Amino acid sequence: MEEKIEAHYKFFQRQIRDILPKKTTLIVVDMQKYQVQKDYIAYKAMDTVTPGILDYFVSEVEQKVTPNLRKLINFCHEVGIPVIYTKFSSFMPDGSDLSKGGKNLNKIAKNLLGDVAFPHISHPSSDIIDELKPEDRDFVIQKNTSGTFMSTRLDSFLKNMDIETVLVSGVVTNFCVESTAREAGDYGFQVVIVEDCCAAWSPEIHQATLKSFGLLRGFILTHEKVIKKLLKQIK
Amino acid sequence: MEEKIEAHYKFFQRQIRDILPKKTTLIVVDMQKYQVQKDYIAYKAMDTVTPGILDYFVSEVEQKVTPNLRKLINFCHEVGIPVIYTKFSSFMPDGSDLSKGGKNLNKIAKNLLGDVAFPHISHPSSDIIDELKPEDRDFVIQKNTSGTFMSTRLDSFLKNMDIETVLVSGVVTNFCVESTAREAGDYGFQVVIVEDCCAAWSPEIHQATLKSFGLLRGFILTHEKVIKKLLKQIK
Amino acid sequence: MEEKIEAHYKFFQRQIRDILPKKTTLIVVDMQKYQVQKDYIAYKAMDTVTPGILDYFVSEVEQKVTPNLRKLINFCHEVGIPVIYTKFSSFMPDGSDLSKGGKNLNKIAKNLLGDVAFPHISHPSSDIIDELKPEDRDFVIQKNTSGTFMSTRLDSFLKNMDIETVLVSGVVTNFCVESTAREAGDYGFQVVIVEDCCAAWSPEIHQATLKSFGLLRGFILTHEKVIKKLLKQIK
Amino acid sequence: MEEKIEAHYKFFQRQIRDILPKKTTLIVVDMQKYQVQKDYIAYKAMDTVTPGILDYFVSEVEQKVTPNLRKLINFCHEVGIPVIYTKFSSFMPDGSDLSKGGKNLNKIAKNLLGDVAFPHISHPSSDIIDELKPEDRDFVIQKNTSGTFMSTRLDSFLKNMDIETVLVSGVVTNFCVESTAREAGDYGFQVVIVEDCCAAWSPEIHQATLKSFGLLRGFILTHEKVIKKLLKQIK
C-alpha cells in the first residue's frame, strides 16, 4: 500500500501551478514567545504533564524554523509579498472568548501552575519572537482558534487582495499550521506548506502531516524551493 | 397603512425578553475620531461632495450620542457587562484588504483630497474618541466592513461568552449600527438598538431605520430604559 | 437637510460601475408560497396579531413583484446569468436550528394558530411560487436566517464563480432583501437592489429602505434599467 | 520521543467530558455513492492515476465503516440524537461554485475519463449509499468543501440546537472527516472521531490522523464505546 500512496503523492505534487508574487501571501502561524519558548506557562504546563514532551519541538523551532523563516520573510519583504503574522491569544482579558477546548487547556494549566496557557492579546508572552518581529508593513492578525480562518475573516481580506497562493509556515505543523492550510485550501487558495519553516512535537508527526496534506490538499516545499519558484516569475 | 404598521411595531416591541446582566454585552460601533469629527478626510470628502451633509450628524454625536454613551458605558463597567468597541479601518497598510466598496470610497476621497477615507488601523484618526476611550478591561475589535460580524467572528466569541442579549450603539444608525444589529439578530442574539446612543445623517433616516428594525427584528430602547431593565435583574 | 440627502443620494448613484453579464448573478430572495400568499400560517399569524398588516404587501407581490421578476429571470436565462433562489426554512424537522428570533416567531404563531410560521424545508409551503418555479439550471439555496450569507457560504461560491455584481430581488424589502444586499456589499460585491422586483409592508418602508441603502451602500434600479445596462455590455 | 507522545496522548484522552444525549449530534461525512463505490468517476479517475490506490479504502468502507455506522445511526435514532449527513457536491450545475482545488480535480478527471469527479447535488451518484439512506427525521446538508463548516453555517445551527458534543464519522479520515472534526473543535464543541466508523486510503494514514488529532484536539472512540458513554447518561 505504501508504494501506491507514495506514487499518488508524487502525482499530486506535480499538479502545482505557478506561484505569482503579486498574488501570493506568506502566513506565519503563531510564532509567539509563549508558543515556542520554555519560559512560559504553555511549555511548563505541558512539561509538567508529560516531561520532555516539547523538547524536540523547542529545539527544532530554534535551530530550523526560526532561521529559515527569517530568510523567507526577508525575501517576501524584498519582492513585496505581504507577510501575515497570526497570534493565538484571547480577545477578552478573562479568556471568556476562547472555545471550550481552549478554556479547558487554560484550566488544566491553571490547576497545575496557577496561570493560563493562552495569554490575553496584550500580554508580552503573546508577542511574536524577537527574531521575527513584525515590521510596520506587515499585517498581524489576532485569532482565538487553532485555524486562522476560523476566528477571523482572513478569507475575505485575501480575496479582496487578489491573492491566489497562500504559503503557510510556523507552528505547530499538525495543529494550527495544518488547520490554517486546510481552511485556505477549502477557501479556494492554492496552498503550500513550507516544510522546513514549521515543526511538530516529533519528526514522525511532522512527516505524517505533510504526507497526508500533500496527497490531495496542497503542496509541500522547502523555503528554498518556494523562493526559486517565485524568482522564476519575477525574471 | 401607517396605523397598522404602528400597531404591529408596538406588538413586536412588547415581545422583549429579560436582559440579564451576566448574558449581555454592549457593542459600541465605530466611535472613532475620523468617523465623527470634522478634522479628518472622511468628513472633508463627504463635505466636498455634498456641502453640509454631515453637519447634523456631527452635532448629534457630540451633543447626544457621546454623553449618553459615556453614561451607558460607565454603567456597564459598574455591573460587569463587557463593552466591545469596534473600529472600522484597513488591516493592510495599503488598504488592499478593504472590499470593493471601501476601496471605491477611498479612491473618491483620494481624488478629492489626496488621502483615503478609511485609515489604516495604526493611524491616530482610527482611535476611539477621547471621551469614550477604551480601558484595559474593554475589548476593541478591528473590522473592515460595515457590519461587525461580517469581517470578524465575534458571533463565535459571544457564544463562547454565553451572551444572549446584544446592545448596539454608535454610528451610523443606518449603516454600521444597523448592519451589526441585523447580523446579531441572525446569529440568534436578542438585539437592542440603544436609540439615543446612535445617530444618522438626518433625523428622518435615523427614525426610519429604528422603525424598520423594530417591526420584527429587534428592540428599540433609550439608554435609560436599558439601564432600568438591567437594574431590575440585579436587585 | 432632506435636500442635501437627496443630492448625496444622486451623487452616490452615479458611481455605479458596468454590470458585466459574465460576472453578474441574480438573487431572488424568499419568493416562497408561505412568504407571499395568504393561505399559510405566516400570513395568518401576522393578520391575527395586526389585521390587514400584510394586505398591501401581498397585493404588491402579486401585481408588481412577480410579473417583473418573471421578466428579469427570463432575461437572465436568455443571456446566461445564474439565477439563485433563496428559501427561508428550517433545516431540522423540529425547527431547532432556527435562531432565537425565528423560534420566538414560531412560538407566537403556534400559540395563535397551532402551527409554526417558518416551515421545514420539505414542507410544500416552503416551495417557490409557481409563477417563478426554478428550473434545473437554477441554484436553490436554503437558509435559516434573514440575511442570505448569514446561514450559507454563498460569498465563497460567488467568489469561486468570479461574480462581481449581485442583483438582489424578492421579499421583504427591509428584511431579507436588505440584509442580503448589505451582506453582499460587505463581501465586496457591487450590489443592485432591483426596486420594482421587491416589496415591503408599506410603500413608505419600501422607499425608506431604498433611500438609506442607496446613499452609500449600493445601487437602486428598476428591472428595465438593469436589463438595459446588461444589454449594453452584450452588444 | 514516541513514548512521550504516547503518554501525552493517553493523558489528553482522559480529559473527555460526559457525552449528554440531548446535547450531542452525529455527523456522517460524505457517505455518498461516488465517494465510496467503484462505479463512479471519482474512483475510476484515482484508479487510472494510481492503480489500486483506493482498493483498501473501498473494502474498509464496505466491511467496517458501513456496518458500524448502521449500528451507530440506529442507536442515535432510538435515543433521539440528531443525525446530520453531509454531501460533498457542487451547488451549481456546471460546478462553478467549487473551489479552485475542486475544479482542478474535476478537470483532471474530465481529461482522463470525460466526466467530473465531484457531481452536481442532483446527480444520483451524489446520494448517500443505500445501506445508510437518510430518513425524514435526519438532516442532510450540502457542502462544496472538504470541511463541513467551511461551506455551511452548521456551527450556528448546532449552537441554536444547544449541541455540546459532535460525533464525527464517515470518509475520508484524513480529509473531510478530519477537517470537519478540526472545525467543530475550533467552534467550541467537544469532538469525538468514531474511529471504526471512518476509513482512509491506508491503515497508516488512518492511524496517524487519529493520533495527531487525539493529542490535543479531540477524542478517539469506537462506536461501541460511544454508545456505552451515551447509555450511561440515559439510565
Side-chain angles (χ1 to χ4, degrees):
Chain A
M1 198 63 220
E2 285 308 293
E3 271 169 50
K4 291 174 198 166
I5 298 289
E6 191 60 38
H8 191 81
Y9 179 90
K10 283 180 183 159
F11 166 80
F12 187 79
Q13 291 298 305
R14 288 194 299 271
Q15 310 302 315
I16 194 168
R17 301 186 299 279
D18 288 342
I19 307 181
L20 309 176
K22 299 229 160 170
K23 298 183 174 244
T24 296
T25 190
L26 169 65
I27 302 186
V28 182
V29 176
D30 296 358
M31 290 295 293
Q32 298 162 272
K33 295 182 177 173
Y34 88 89
Q35 288 259 2
V36 299
Q37 295 178 348
K38 294 192 170 188
D39 312 318
Y40 302 101
I41 297 293
Y43 173 88
K44 289 180 182 169
M46 294 288 296
D47 198 66
T48 305
V49 165
T50 316
I53 182 79
L54 293 183
D55 286 357
Y56 165 81
F57 169 73
V58 167
S59 136
E60 194 76 352
V61 167
E62 206 178 296
Q63 289 168 33
K64 187 189 72 176
V65 176
T66 303
N68 286 343
L69 253 179
R70 186 63 270 166
K71 284 179 211 159
L72 185 55
I73 292 170
N74 288 350
F75 175 80
C76 288
H77 281 160
E78 276 164 36
V79 301
I81 290 175
V83 178
I84 300 174
Y85 290 86
T86 74
K87 287 170 68 173
F88 189 156
S89 312
S90 73
F91 287 88
M92 300 295 295
D94 64 356
S96 57
D97 58 295
L98 293 170
S99 72
K100 253 186 198 154
K103 281 180 185 140
N104 282 345
L105 295 177
N106 264 355
K107 208 192 295 175
I108 293 173
K110 206 155 191 177
N111 286 342
L112 289 171
L113 297 172
D115 208 348
V116 297
F118 299 111
H120 180 242
I121 185 180
S122 72
H123 194 275
S125 70
S126 174
D127 288 349
I128 304 296
I129 59 171
D130 295 338
E131 294 87 340
L132 303 178
K133 204 181 168 177
E135 303 181 11
D136 280 351
R137 57 180 156 184
D138 300 323
F139 169 26
V140 183
I141 193 166
Q142 156 85 359
K143 66 188 178 80
N144 67 3
T145 50
S146 180
T148 296
F149 296 85
M150 206 40 73
S151 52
T152 69
R153 291 280 157 91
L154 188 55
D155 56 306
S156 260
F157 311 166
L158 297 185
K159 297 272 168 82
N160 288 340
M161 291 161 70
D162 218 15
I163 296 297
E164 289 182 353
T165 298
V166 174
L167 311 171
V168 185
S169 64
V171 295
V172 178
T173 315
N174 59 315
F175 298 138
C176 296
V177 169
E178 187 182 359
S179 282
T180 297
R182 284 170 173 264
E183 293 166 6
D186 264 350
Y187 277 122
F189 301 103
Q190 168 166 268
V191 182
V192 176
I193 297 182
V194 192
E195 59 177 317
D196 57 355
C197 290
C198 39
W201 296 354
S202 80
E204 291 77 17
I205 296 177
H206 179 75
Q207 282 308 329
T209 302
L210 302 178
K211 181 60 61 68
S212 162
F213 190 78
L215 262 183
L216 201 61
R217 304 296 305 273
F219 303 97
I220 312 296
L221 294 172
T222 62
H223 77 283
E224 286 179 346
K225 285 215 177 124
V226 165
I227 291 176
K228 214 166 142 188
K229 272 184 178 291
L230 282 161
L231 280 176
K232 210 162 67 177
Q233 297 296 327
I234 291 172
K235 284 154 191 179
Chain B
M1 198 64 220
E2 284 309 293
E3 272 170 49
K4 291 175 196 166
I5 298 289
E6 191 59 40
H8 191 81
Y9 179 89
K10 283 182 182 155
F11 166 79
F12 187 78
Q13 291 298 307
R14 288 194 299 272
Q15 310 302 317
I16 194 167
R17 303 186 299 278
D18 289 342
I19 306 181
L20 310 175
K22 300 228 161 173
K23 296 182 176 247
T24 296
T25 190
L26 169 65
I27 303 187
V28 182
V29 176
D30 296 357
M31 290 296 291
Q32 298 163 271
K33 294 181 179 175
Y34 88 90
Q35 289 258 2
V36 301
Q37 296 177 348
K38 295 191 171 189
D39 312 318
Y40 302 100
I41 297 292
Y43 173 87
K44 289 180 183 169
M46 294 288 295
D47 199 65
T48 304
V49 165
T50 315
I53 182 81
L54 294 182
D55 286 357
Y56 165 82
F57 169 73
V58 167
S59 135
E60 194 76 353
V61 167
E62 205 177 296
Q63 291 168 31
K64 185 190 73 176
V65 176
T66 303
N68 287 343
L69 252 179
R70 185 65 269 165
K71 285 180 210 155
L72 185 54
I73 293 170
N74 288 350
F75 176 80
C76 288
H77 281 160
E78 276 166 34
V79 302
I81 290 175
V83 178
I84 300 174
Y85 289 87
T86 72
K87 286 170 69 175
F88 189 155
S89 313
S90 74
F91 287 89
M92 299 295 295
D94 63 357
S96 57
D97 58 295
L98 293 170
S99 72
K100 256 190 195 150
K103 280 178 186 144
N104 282 345
L105 295 177
N106 264 355
K107 208 191 294 176
I108 292 173
K110 207 155 190 179
N111 286 341
L112 290 172
L113 298 172
D115 208 349
V116 297
F118 299 111
H120 180 243
I121 185 179
S122 72
H123 194 275
S125 70
S126 175
D127 288 350
I128 304 296
I129 58 171
D130 294 339
E131 294 87 337
L132 303 178
K133 204 182 168 175
E135 303 181 10
D136 280 351
R137 56 182 156 180
D138 300 323
F139 168 26
V140 183
I141 193 165
Q142 156 84 359
K143 66 189 178 78
N144 66 5
T145 51
S146 179
T148 297
F149 296 84
M150 205 42 72
S151 52
T152 69
R153 291 280 156 89
L154 187 56
D155 56 304
S156 260
F157 312 166
L158 297 184
K159 297 275 168 77
N160 288 340
M161 291 161 70
D162 219 14
I163 295 299
E164 288 182 354
T165 297
V166 174
L167 311 171
V168 185
S169 64
V171 296
V172 178
T173 315
N174 59 315
F175 298 137
C176 296
V177 169
E178 186 181 1
S179 282
T180 298
R182 284 171 174 263
E183 293 166 6
D186 263 350
Y187 277 122
F189 301 103
Q190 168 165 268
V191 182
V192 177
I193 296 182
V194 192
E195 58 176 320
D196 56 355
C197 291
C198 37
W201 296 354
S202 81
E204 292 76 18
I205 297 176
H206 179 74
Q207 282 308 327
T209 302
L210 302 178
K211 182 60 62 70
S212 163
F213 191 78
L215 263 184
L216 202 62
R217 305 294 305 272
F219 305 97
I220 312 296
L221 294 172
T222 61
H223 77 282
E224 286 180 346
K225 284 215 177 123
V226 165
I227 291 176
K228 215 167 144 189
K229 273 187 177 291
L230 281 161
L231 280 175
K232 210 164 68 178
Q233 298 295 327
I234 292 171
K235 281 152 191 178
Chain C
M1 196 65 219
E2 285 308 292
E3 271 169 50
K4 291 175 196 165
I5 297 290
E6 191 59 38
H8 192 80
Y9 179 89
K10 283 181 183 157
F11 167 79
F12 187 78
Q13 291 298 305
R14 288 194 299 271
Q15 310 302 317
I16 194 167
R17 300 186 301 277
D18 289 342
I19 307 182
L20 310 175
K22 301 228 159 171
K23 297 183 175 247
T24 296
T25 190
L26 169 65
I27 302 187
V28 182
V29 176
D30 297 357
M31 289 297 292
Q32 298 162 273
K33 294 180 178 173
Y34 88 90
Q35 288 259 3
V36 300
Q37 296 178 347
K38 295 192 170 188
D39 313 317
Y40 302 100
I41 298 293
Y43 173 88
K44 290 180 181 167
M46 295 287 296
D47 199 66
T48 304
V49 165
T50 315
I53 182 80
L54 293 182
D55 287 357
Y56 165 82
F57 169 73
V58 167
S59 136
E60 193 77 351
V61 167
E62 206 176 295
Q63 290 167 31
K64 186 190 72 176
V65 176
T66 303
N68 287 343
L69 253 178
R70 186 63 269 165
K71 285 179 211 155
L72 184 55
I73 293 170
N74 288 350
F75 176 80
C76 288
H77 281 159
E78 276 163 37
V79 301
I81 290 176
V83 178
I84 300 174
Y85 289 87
T86 73
K87 287 170 67 175
F88 188 156
S89 312
S90 75
F91 287 88
M92 299 296 296
D94 63 357
S96 57
D97 59 294
L98 292 170
S99 71
K100 251 185 200 155
K103 281 180 185 140
N104 282 345
L105 295 177
N106 265 354
K107 208 191 294 174
I108 293 173
K110 206 156 192 177
N111 285 342
L112 290 171
L113 298 172
D115 209 347
V116 296
F118 300 111
H120 181 242
I121 184 178
S122 72
H123 194 275
S125 70
S126 173
D127 289 349
I128 304 296
I129 59 171
D130 294 339
E131 294 87 339
L132 303 178
K133 202 178 170 180
E135 303 181 11
D136 280 351
R137 56 182 157 182
D138 299 323
F139 168 27
V140 183
I141 194 166
Q142 156 85 1
K143 66 189 179 78
N144 67 4
T145 50
S146 181
T148 296
F149 296 85
M150 206 39 73
S151 53
T152 68
R153 292 278 157 91
L154 188 55
D155 56 305
S156 260
F157 311 166
L158 297 185
K159 297 274 168 80
N160 288 339
M161 292 161 70
D162 218 14
I163 296 298
E164 288 182 354
T165 297
V166 174
L167 311 171
V168 185
S169 64
V171 297
V172 179
T173 315
N174 60 315
F175 298 138
C176 296
V177 168
E178 187 182 0
S179 282
T180 297
R182 283 169 174 264
E183 294 166 6
D186 264 350
Y187 277 123
F189 302 104
Q190 168 165 268
V191 182
V192 177
I193 296 184
V194 193
E195 58 177 318
D196 57 356
C197 290
C198 39
W201 297 354
S202 82
E204 291 77 18
I205 297 176
H206 180 74
Q207 282 308 327
T209 303
L210 301 179
K211 182 60 62 68
S212 162
F213 190 78
L215 263 183
L216 202 60
R217 305 294 306 272
F219 304 97
I220 312 296
L221 295 172
T222 62
H223 77 283
E224 287 179 346
K225 284 214 179 125
V226 165
I227 291 176
K228 214 167 143 188
K229 272 184 179 290
L230 282 160
L231 280 175
K232 210 163 67 177
Q233 298 295 328
I234 291 172
K235 283 154 192 181
Chain D
M1 197 64 219
E2 285 309 293
E3 270 170 50
K4 290 174 197 167
I5 298 289
E6 191 59 39
H8 192 81
Y9 179 90
K10 283 181 182 157
F11 166 80
F12 187 79
Q13 291 298 307
R14 287 194 301 271
Q15 310 303 317
I16 194 167
R17 303 187 299 279
D18 288 342
I19 306 181
L20 309 175
K22 300 228 159 172
K23 296 183 176 247
T24 296
T25 190
L26 169 64
I27 302 185
V28 182
V29 177
D30 296 357
M31 290 296 292
Q32 298 162 272
K33 294 180 180 175
Y34 88 90
Q35 288 258 3
V36 300
Q37 294 177 350
K38 294 191 172 190
D39 312 319
Y40 302 100
I41 298 292
Y43 173 88
K44 288 179 183 169
M46 294 287 295
D47 199 65
T48 304
V49 165
T50 316
I53 181 81
L54 293 182
D55 286 357
Y56 165 82
F57 169 72
V58 168
S59 137
E60 193 75 352
V61 167
E62 205 178 298
Q63 290 168 31
K64 186 191 74 176
V65 175
T66 303
N68 287 343
L69 253 179
R70 186 64 269 166
K71 284 180 210 155
L72 184 55
I73 293 169
N74 288 349
F75 175 81
C76 288
H77 281 161
E78 277 165 35
V79 301
I81 290 175
V83 178
I84 299 174
Y85 289 86
T86 73
K87 287 171 68 175
F88 189 156
S89 312
S90 74
F91 287 88
M92 300 295 295
D94 63 356
S96 57
D97 58 294
L98 293 170
S99 71
K100 256 189 196 151
K103 281 179 186 144
N104 282 345
L105 294 177
N106 265 354
K107 207 191 293 176
I108 293 174
K110 206 155 190 178
N111 286 340
L112 289 172
L113 297 172
D115 209 349
V116 297
F118 300 111
H120 181 241
I121 183 178
S122 72
H123 194 276
S125 70
S126 174
D127 288 350
I128 304 296
I129 59 171
D130 295 338
E131 294 87 338
L132 304 179
K133 203 181 169 176
E135 303 181 11
D136 280 351
R137 56 182 155 180
D138 300 323
F139 169 25
V140 183
I141 193 165
Q142 156 85 0
K143 66 188 177 79
N144 66 4
T145 50
S146 180
T148 296
F149 296 85
M150 205 43 71
S151 51
T152 69
R153 291 279 157 89
L154 189 55
D155 56 305
S156 259
F157 312 165
L158 297 185
K159 296 274 167 80
N160 288 339
M161 293 161 69
D162 219 14
I163 296 297
E164 288 182 354
T165 297
V166 174
L167 310 171
V168 185
S169 64
V171 295
V172 177
T173 315
N174 59 315
F175 298 137
C176 296
V177 169
E178 186 181 1
S179 281
T180 298
R182 283 170 175 263
E183 293 166 5
D186 263 349
Y187 276 122
F189 301 104
Q190 168 165 269
V191 182
V192 177
I193 296 182
V194 192
E195 58 176 317
D196 56 356
C197 291
C198 37
W201 296 354
S202 81
E204 292 77 17
I205 296 176
H206 179 75
Q207 282 310 326
T209 303
L210 303 178
K211 181 61 61 71
S212 162
F213 190 78
L215 263 184
L216 201 61
R217 304 294 305 272
F219 305 97
I220 312 296
L221 294 172
T222 62
H223 77 282
E224 287 179 345
K225 284 213 178 124
V226 165
I227 291 176
K228 215 167 144 188
K229 273 187 177 290
L230 282 160
L231 280 175
K232 209 163 69 176
Q233 297 295 328
I234 291 170
K235 282 151 192 178

